[in-house]
Amino acid sequence: MKQHKTLRAAALAVLAALILSLAACGAPENADPTSQPALSSSSDAKDSAPPAAGGAGSSAADSTAQDDGSLFQGSMVLLPFSPTALLPLPDGTALIADQTNRSVYCLETDGDLTLYAGAITEAVDVNGRPLGGYADGPDTESLFALPWAIAPFLDGYAVSDAENNALRLIQDGQVSTLNVTGTGGTPLNYPTGLAAGEDGCLYFSDTGNGRVCRVTTDGRMAPVAKGLSEPMGLSWRDGVLYIAETGANRILQLSDGKLTVLAGQGADGCEDGKAAQALFCAPRGVVAAEGCVYVADTANSAVRRIKDGVVDTLIRHEVSDEQNPLPASPTGLSLWEGDLYVCDTFTGALLKLPVEE
């Protein structure tokens, strides 16, 4: 219990710092998911994987960067778009999937953002957001409809393009579509979460078809879990695949071909306690750490943790608390350099919480 209290106290301290940052900065202009940033492209710097995007782009941390050049001011950075996933790269940069511009960006170590893949279309929807589309080709000339998650695959990066019902691959400066075989005649339907297995295989949530599938390095696909209710976020660790079963408000685990419920009784709500009795509401993200699993409990505006058979809440936005708008819609979770990163899709914030590994 001492570790639980320590981590909860640290999370609350981060939240307090976050609120102070918001108060100092005022309401961020980029919290509007329809805003369009003027970001620079750096495709010339992406000839190998993992690529290191270069060139000067707009800064993701203009309002929160410290004088020493570090990206975060204790707790968060405000992005000029709506992030759904963050993939840290070995060179210290990270790739971010964006729902606003329907593109993938590179977040560099100095806070610069550069367009990595997916052109920003001039045509917009009724909300003023770029329409995107479906086109393979050179990375920054390609088009995505809704990039949802990113994972390493085949010496490049797989992207789940949900609204195109496709898996895409960014590799050697080109974007292509993964033509997987073995689907049994069932086309993909809104693929979302991705996870890279230790065997080099790619796991993805075929959300609309209620299944999770594995793709081998030679393109063969087979379901590993079926009959699920809108599975989304995935995480692979030590031979176990963790699944956020969004439609059933549960967290599942798949080990040695056996699928079991890790936490959540199935009803929607927000209740801590023993994992079997805990309540979630439409959790979309999950990431496994040493000895615990973190959950983006999206509809509860919360980040939860499963440890030693118990669920607790690290951070949660209460609707009545107008001074604390974050997290509003946590989706993607990532572990990076000893911290937990939370993509808050609605506000455009990237939150950083301390974790215990």
Side-chain angles (χ1 to χ4, degrees):
M1 289 300 295
K2 182 177 180 180
Q3 288 184 343
H4 281 219
K5 290 180 180 178
T6 300
L7 184 53
R8 180 182 293 275
L12 290 175
V14 165
L15 176 57
L18 188 153
I19 296 172
L20 291 175
S21 296
L22 285 179
C25 298
E29 294 179 358
N30 54 11
D32 181 357
T34 65
S35 63
Q36 298 181 38
L39 302 180
S40 68
S41 168
S42 61
S43 59
D44 292 342
K46 302 193 268 76
D47 295 329
S48 61
S58 65
S59 174
D62 288 339
S63 62
T64 56
Q66 299 183 67
D67 293 337
D68 62 4
S70 58
L71 181 59
F72 282 82
Q73 187 179 350
S75 58
M76 73 164 194
V77 63
L78 295 175
L79 300 172
F81 48 69
S82 302
T84 56
L86 178 143
L87 175 67
L89 303 184
D91 62 2
T93 63
L95 298 182
I96 302 176
D98 161 43
Q99 286 192 352
T100 299
N101 298 291
R102 307 176 193 272
S103 302
V104 176
Y105 293 98
C106 181
L107 177 61
E108 301 182 55
T109 55
D110 60 1
D112 280 349
L113 284 166
T114 50
L115 183 63
Y116 189 80
I120 301 174
T121 61
E122 293 184 4
V124 298
D125 60 19
V126 294
N127 295 314
R129 298 184 303 178
L131 280 175
Y134 194 171
D136 290 336
D139 41 25
T140 55
E141 298 176 17
S142 63
L143 293 176
F144 294 83
L146 193 70
W148 208 94
I150 312 170
F153 187 57
L154 296 177
D155 295 324
Y157 303 105
V159 179
S160 52
D161 193 359
E163 290 187 355
N164 276 327
N165 300 317
L167 298 176
R168 315 289 291 280
L169 180 67
I170 307 172
Q171 186 179 41
D172 298 327
Q174 296 286 318
V175 173
S176 60
T177 299
L178 286 171
N179 295 312
V180 297
T181 60
T183 61
T186 303
L188 303 188
N189 186 354
Y190 208 84
T192 55
L194 297 176
E198 295 160 353
D199 55 0
C201 293
L202 177 71
Y203 294 83
F204 72 94
S205 290
D206 191 9
T207 303
N209 287 321
R211 61 183 183 175
V212 174
C213 300
R214 178 181 61 232
V215 180
T216 61
T217 54
D218 59 0
R220 290 179 292 117
M221 191 200 88
V224 296
K226 298 187 293 184
L228 306 181
S229 179
E230 299 178 357
M232 287 193 157
L234 299 178
S235 180
W236 176 280
R237 189 178 180 100
D238 298 332
V240 179
L241 182 66
Y242 298 90
I243 305 167
E245 191 182 13
T246 307
N249 308 301
R250 304 186 301 180
I251 306 302
L252 312 177
Q253 60 181 4
L254 180 68
S255 179
D256 295 327
K258 183 179 180 181
L259 186 67
T260 58
V261 178
L262 179 65
Q265 58 175 276
D268 63 89
C270 191
E271 187 80 26
D272 289 340
K274 293 183 179 180
Q277 282 77 49
L279 296 177
F280 299 87
C281 192
R284 290 189 172 189
V286 63
V287 65
E290 182 66 33
C292 68
V293 175
Y294 296 98
V295 179
D297 195 2
T298 308
N300 277 324
S301 300
V303 177
R304 317 280 294 280
R305 180 182 63 171
I306 308 167
K307 184 175 182 179
D308 298 329
V310 175
V311 175
D312 62 355
T313 299
L314 300 183
I315 186 173
R316 185 186 184 196
H317 163 59
E318 298 288 350
V319 176
S320 60
D321 186 1
E322 297 180 356
Q323 300 301 315
N324 169 27
L326 303 175
S329 180
T331 303
L333 300 178
S334 297
L335 293 171
W336 191 11
E337 298 179 345
D339 292 304
L340 175 66
Y341 287 77
V342 183
C343 292
D344 195 21
T345 304
F346 182 76
T347 65
L350 183 61
L351 313 180
K352 181 174 76 171
L353 303 178
V355 299
E356 294 178 355
E357 282 267 14

